[in-house]
């Protein structure tokens, strides 16, 4: 059984892709080197299947940026319009490391850049549930607003990483 239930036509997917495009566009205005990780993996190895690309994306996120010769990976998380979204346990398990960040938001809010270590620790404390055999945590908008660790917007994120100056 294929556990990948990705449906590019679902409202959730369309909203997520729209948010990801908004985050990438905002980052491109601030950072010199921004790439869509899926596109980069595909270009580097055209033989990769969609399943393999999905697996790479789980580990490396949606967007990558190079800062001071270090690669920083960003996973975009769009919170649904009903103010709560399923946050896969697989993100907590696979998207880890000091160079990993989440960009969280929704229509009219965000992106808020949160270190993966902090977000993952926080999500482990949120209520869990199982859907179609996969574990999830409930990510609520109010919780995102209350997370103190993080940067509001790409400019603040760039300042935090040490590559943005007010003269830009």
């Amino acid at each position: 059984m294929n556990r990948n239930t990705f449906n590019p036509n679902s409202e959730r997917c369309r909203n997520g892709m729209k948010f990801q495009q908004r985050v990438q566009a905002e980052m491109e205005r601030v950072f010199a080197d921004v790439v869509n990780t899926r596109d980069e993996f595909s270009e580097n190895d055209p033989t990769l299947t969609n399943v393999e690309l999905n697996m790479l994306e789980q580990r490396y996120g949606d967007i990558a940026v190079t800062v001071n010769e270090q690669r920083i990976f960003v996973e975009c998380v769009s919170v649904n319009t009903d103010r709560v979204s399923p946050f896969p346990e697989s993100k907590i398990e696979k998207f880890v490391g000091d160079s990993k960040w989440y960009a969280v938001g929704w229509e009219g809010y965000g992106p808020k850049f949160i270190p993966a270590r902090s977000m993952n620790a926080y999500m482990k404390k949120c209520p869990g549930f199982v859907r179609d055999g996969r574990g999830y945590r409930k990510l609520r908008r109010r919780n995102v607003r209350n997370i103190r660790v993080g940067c509001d917007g790409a400019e603040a994120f760039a300042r935090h990483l040490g590559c943005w100056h007010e003269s830009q």
Side-chain angles (χ1 to χ4, degrees):
M1 178 174 106
N2 182 2
R3 292 177 58 181
N4 181 1
T5 58
F6 176 75
N7 176 359
N9 299 315
S10 72
E11 180 181 2
R12 182 171 55 122
C13 181
R14 287 193 312 269
N15 288 341
M17 290 305 297
K18 184 176 167 185
F19 178 69
Q20 180 180 329
Q21 290 166 355
R22 180 166 61 96
V23 171
Q24 185 163 342
E26 186 173 324
M27 290 179 73
E28 286 171 346
R29 287 192 293 274
V30 178
F31 295 95
D33 177 27
V34 179
V35 296
N36 176 300
T37 56
R38 188 179 192 92
D39 292 346
E40 184 174 60
F41 287 130
S42 292
E43 289 169 11
N44 290 338
D45 185 352
T47 66
L48 290 171
T49 66
N50 278 331
V51 171
E52 290 169 324
L53 288 167
N54 291 346
M55 291 172 67
L56 287 166
E57 213 171 16
Q58 287 177 351
R59 295 219 180 269
Y60 296 101
D62 300 308
I63 301 168
V65 61
T66 303
V67 176
N68 299 324
E69 298 181 22
Q70 181 188 2
R71 200 71 149 164
I72 305 294
F73 300 96
V74 176
E75 172 70 12
C76 297
V77 178
S78 174
V79 182
N80 290 335
T81 56
D82 59 2
R83 293 185 159 74
V84 64
S85 285
F87 190 91
E89 291 278 351
S90 61
K91 282 190 196 298
I92 297 169
E93 296 165 7
K94 296 178 182 177
F95 195 68
V96 295
D98 292 336
S99 64
K100 310 280 178 76
W101 289 73
Y102 288 99
V104 186
W106 52 86
E107 183 73 33
Y109 179 85
K112 183 173 190 173
F113 293 88
I114 303 169
R117 179 175 314 219
S118 300
M119 184 74 172
N120 290 340
Y122 182 82
M123 290 311 301
K124 287 178 184 176
K125 298 175 185 176
C126 293
F129 65 98
V130 175
R131 183 188 327 164
D132 298 326
R134 288 187 70 195
Y136 295 90
R137 300 291 177 149
K138 291 183 180 179
L139 175 59
R140 299 181 189 283
R141 287 182 177 189
R142 67 176 178 201
N143 300 124
V144 173
R145 286 189 179 109
N146 291 335
I147 294 175
R148 284 177 262 165
V149 176
C151 308
D152 290 318
E155 287 182 17
F157 183 46
R159 275 194 299 276
H160 175 81
L161 296 174
C163 64
W164 174 260
H165 306 285
E166 293 301 323
S167 62
Q168 286 182 308

